[in-house]
Amino acid sequence: MRLNENLFRLKEEYLFSRVARRTKEYESRHKTPPVRLSIGDVTLPIVPAAVSAMRRAVEELGHIETFHGYGASVHGEKELLSAISQRYSEWGVEVGEDEIFVSDGAKSDLGNLSELFSGQNRVLIPDPVYPAYLDANLLAGREILFSRAGEENGFLPMPEEVRADILYLCSPNNPTGAAYTREQLKVWVDYAKKQNAVILFDAAYECFLSGENFPHTIYAVEGAKECAIEICSFSKMAGFTGVRCGYSVVPRALVRENRSLRRLWERRQAAKFNGASYISQMGAAAVLSKEGQRQLASRIGYYRNNAKIIAECLSSVGLWYTGGAQSPYLWVKCPDNTSSEAFFEELLEGAGVVGTPGS
Ligand code: PLP
């Protein structure tokens, strides 16, 4: 027996596990809990429409007449697939139910989907970004390149003359809060097609976008269905971080080496996944119902307002930041050339505020 050596490529501790550990240590020493501005968790409870739907689902499972076992399809429950497809059509994009794959959340899909591709592929990952992409590809033994996001490019890296096969994009971005416009996404789509690469487009925060120029889906860009897989989540939109439900779209038009990636992903899911919980899926379908959407509207406003409060506070103390407009995230420049690690500690110990260190 030999261990998977790729595990040794990972940092000793996942970023957010370390932040959680430091938060716990702080809590054990202080009476007042810290203000948590770190991991993208939600604070508002799940909307009543989803709570009722999940109650109904539990009731169904508790009676012989209405009991459900394994789901009928590897794609997910019909009710949820139809609601997701309808959502895309409201954005002017056609996505068939057989192109949607419901999962237990975006994090699993963002890593698992890379199983579609050979370990020999090169991966391009924005830096900084949600750390799960890097870890999943280190585990798969792939070569990794980074596209740097900084003040010089408005925290939105654009394609450069490098050869890469798998391109991760996160828009709106965690942690910088930057979001690509339609025109910028078109440049990525053209680049991916030219390179025969595949984009893994993480749209976990699409619900925070506003304005015509910021599409909620990469498929609003011409040609994207031939080169992009989109990964979405109910976590941020509907407070499902604990419930667990998300989905990915693998379009029919996505073909490489004469093979349909949609069909290959169907086969992979059948081999390794038995579906998201029926209860979560019924809750998610209710989130997308008219009533669910009506109830959700004020939640986004609440998180937007939090971002505004943080932005005003940072401005008032003269700290440079970016983001907070198309996303709940703000990315702050540490004062006096302090390292982000040192500033993270200073913020926690001095002000009782948990941030996320990064550079
Ligand atoms: N993608 C991004 C960019 C995130 O920030 C997060 C969570 O913070 C996720 C995906 C994970 O989403 P989920 O809860 O659906 O696994």
Side-chain angles (χ1 to χ4, degrees):
M1 193 282 307
R2 290 191 55 191
L3 290 172
N4 176 0
E5 285 170 9
N6 289 329
L7 276 163
F8 313 146
R9 298 177 78 197
L10 302 179
K11 274 201 182 144
E12 188 89 5
E13 199 174 17
Y14 184 64
L15 174 65
F16 291 113
S17 310
R18 182 157 56 90
V19 171
R21 180 172 52 75
R22 287 290 298 113
T23 309
K24 248 192 161 156
E25 283 165 15
Y26 177 92
E27 281 171 337
S28 69
R29 285 183 283 106
H30 296 80
K31 281 205 179 79
T32 320
V35 177
R36 295 159 185 265
L37 304 181
S38 181
I39 189 168
D41 210 342
V42 287
T43 46
L44 295 178
I46 293 156
V47 291
V51 173
S52 307
M54 288 196 275
R55 280 212 179 99
R56 276 196 304 277
V58 171
E59 264 314 303
E60 280 178 42
L61 297 181
H63 298 278
I64 196 155
E65 302 80 14
T66 47
F67 174 74
H68 291 258
Y70 290 123
S73 153
V74 72
H75 290 269
E77 293 296 326
K78 167 86 188 138
E79 199 171 329
L80 178 55
L81 295 170
S82 151
I84 295 169
S85 174
Q86 173 61 28
R87 188 153 191 257
Y88 277 99
S89 63
E90 282 158 21
W91 292 331
V93 170
E94 211 179 293
V95 168
E97 292 176 23
D98 62 347
E99 297 175 297
I100 301 165
F101 295 83
V102 174
S103 70
D104 63 349
K107 188 177 191 180
S108 332
D109 278 358
L110 282 158
N112 291 339
L113 277 159
S114 82
E115 285 187 23
L116 282 168
F117 311 108
S118 147
Q120 306 306 312
N121 284 309
R122 275 175 128 188
V123 189
L124 186 64
I125 297 180
D127 183 23
V129 84
Y130 181 54
Y133 318 157
L134 174 63
D135 281 0
N137 284 284
L138 287 174
L139 274 175
R142 294 199 182 88
E143 184 189 351
I144 292 159
L145 306 171
F146 294 99
S147 51
R148 196 189 132 70
E151 266 180 273
E152 69 286 354
N153 55 16
F155 291 88
L156 291 167
M158 295 306 293
E160 289 170 23
E161 286 310 310
V162 289
R163 209 350 315 113
D165 311 290
I166 305 167
L167 317 171
Y168 278 87
L169 293 181
C170 180
S171 182
N173 179 284
N174 170 6
T176 67
Y180 284 112
T181 63
R182 188 183 299 270
E183 291 69 33
Q184 288 169 321
L185 287 177
K186 175 79 174 108
V187 177
W188 275 107
V189 165
D190 291 345
Y191 169 78
K193 286 174 79 174
K194 199 166 133 213
Q195 300 235 16
N196 210 27
V198 173
I199 295 173
L200 294 181
F201 187 73
D202 183 352
Y205 295 93
E206 59 74 20
C207 59
F208 289 95
L209 293 169
S210 65
E212 265 296 288
N213 212 16
F214 293 98
H216 288 262
T217 163
I218 194 165
Y219 303 124
V221 172
E222 199 194 322
K225 283 191 178 167
E226 288 137 48
C227 66
I229 294 175
E230 182 159 285
I231 299 99
C232 304
S233 170
F234 288 92
S235 284
K236 320 295 163 161
M237 173 187 10
F240 270 40
T241 46
V243 177
R244 309 305 305 147
C245 197
Y247 62 92
S248 291
V249 176
V250 188
R252 257 176 255 124
L254 187 51
V255 175
R256 291 292 181 274
E257 298 173 7
N258 289 325
R259 288 174 185 262
S260 155
L261 269 65
R262 187 192 74 84
R263 293 292 296 274
L264 290 174
W265 187 240
E266 249 174 9
R267 187 63 191 88
R268 186 274 179 203
Q269 290 294 76
K272 283 201 180 177
F273 187 56
N274 260 336
S277 139
Y278 175 72
I279 302 162
S280 309
Q281 293 194 61
M282 290 303 102
V287 161
L288 297 182
S289 69
K290 270 213 170 75
E291 183 53 20
Q293 289 294 296
R294 197 189 59 73
Q295 294 172 0
L296 278 191
S298 63
R299 302 172 56 97
I300 305 297
Y302 170 82
Y303 293 119
R304 280 206 181 107
N305 196 47
N306 280 350
K308 194 163 154 257
I309 294 167
I310 300 166
E312 284 165 4
C313 168
L314 292 168
S315 298
S316 74
V317 296
L319 283 183
W320 187 94
Y321 70 89
T322 184
Q326 297 289 340
S327 134
Y329 288 106
L330 292 96
W331 191 237
V332 184
K333 191 183 251 178
C334 304
D336 310 322
N337 287 327
T338 323
S339 75
S340 70
E341 298 287 340
F343 191 57
F344 167 83
E345 293 296 335
E346 196 180 322
L347 201 61
L348 181 61
E349 294 302 335
V353 173
V354 193
T356 300
S359 57

